[in-house]
Amino acid sequence: MKRTVLIIISFFCFAIFPAHAIKWGLKAGVNLSEASFNWNALNPDNFTGFQAGPIIEFNLPIIGLGMDAALLYSQQGFKVDGNTEKFATLDIPLNLKYKLGLLGAIGIYGSAGPYASFRVSGDNFSVADIPDQFKQKTFGAGLNFGFGVELLKHLQIGANYQLKLTDDYSAGEYDVKTKTWSVTAAFFF
């Protein structure tokens, strides 16, 4: 029974997404992270990092609706008290995407969806006036919002805002969240 259900689901997936509607590619970009603390004693500075990884995109051919998913190595952080606190995550965004073709070779798109992030590097840190050390979190989640242009159906250049719903660090009653803007380019084969 399980095998039959799996075959039926596979058939419908291939019927809905024909081979030309699935594209693979690589995505890379620059991150600009901003930290927000839940107290006003500190004024952190922004941090510039990068992101890179594979991306897959599914599109329904006529209506312009689709989705994309990626596995991105992302470097983020912030500067506080003269120190740079940086960390890296593996981000897995899953976005609903709507494309609108303008001249056949050029189009625009908007996207939104959730993401999960898994910490791969970073350290705990301390701040003056806070007795506890800030401990890093190993898992994060949030929402993505993006827009951009598509050129010749192979190159997408866009901007993305990553709104974290979970904390990156915590120390007792204090916590730190980063919000990240990124400018990316994705090339599809």
Side-chain angles (χ1 to χ4, degrees), residues 2-56:
K2 288 182 183 180
R3 177 183 265 167
T4 305
V5 170
L6 185 61
I7 290 171
I8 291 171
I9 290 171
S10 298
F11 173 76
F12 281 113
C13 286
F14 286 114
I16 291 172
F17 295 111
H20 69 276
I22 300 173
K23 299 190 297 187
W24 294 87
L26 295 173
K27 184 175 185 175
V30 176
N31 293 338
L32 181 62
S33 301
E34 172 189 25
S36 65
F37 295 78
N38 67 341
W39 77 99
N40 295 326
L42 295 174
N43 188 16
D45 292 324
N46 295 338
F47 176 82
T48 303
F50 68 93
Q51 64 175 262
I55 184 170
I56 184 170

Side-chain angles (χ1 to χ4, degrees), residues 5-128:
V5 170
L6 185 61
I7 290 171
I8 291 171
I9 290 171
S10 298
F11 173 76
F12 281 113
C13 286
F14 286 114
I16 291 172
F17 295 111
H20 69 276
I22 300 173
K23 299 190 297 187
W24 294 87
L26 295 173
K27 184 175 185 175
V30 176
N31 293 338
L32 181 62
S33 301
E34 172 189 25
S36 65
F37 295 78
N38 67 341
W39 77 99
N40 295 326
L42 295 174
N43 188 16
D45 292 324
N46 295 338
F47 176 82
T48 303
F50 68 93
Q51 64 175 262
I55 184 170
I56 184 170
E57 183 178 82
F58 306 95
N59 288 312
L60 295 173
I62 297 175
I63 62 174
L65 190 61
M67 56 190 300
D68 68 23
L71 178 62
L72 302 171
Y73 177 87
S74 180
Q75 185 185 53
Q76 301 171 34
F78 53 92
K79 297 173 187 172
V80 64
D81 279 352
N83 296 319
T84 299
E85 305 299 333
K86 63 181 177 179
F87 57 94
T89 58
L90 282 179
D91 291 348
I92 305 171
L94 180 62
N95 295 313
L96 188 62
K97 187 182 269 186
Y98 182 74
K99 289 185 187 178
L100 181 62
L102 298 177
L103 300 172
I106 299 173
I108 59 173
Y109 69 86
S111 62
Y115 74 90
S117 101
F118 301 91
R119 180 79 58 124
V120 294
S121 73
D123 295 320
N124 297 335
F125 71 96
S126 297
V127 174

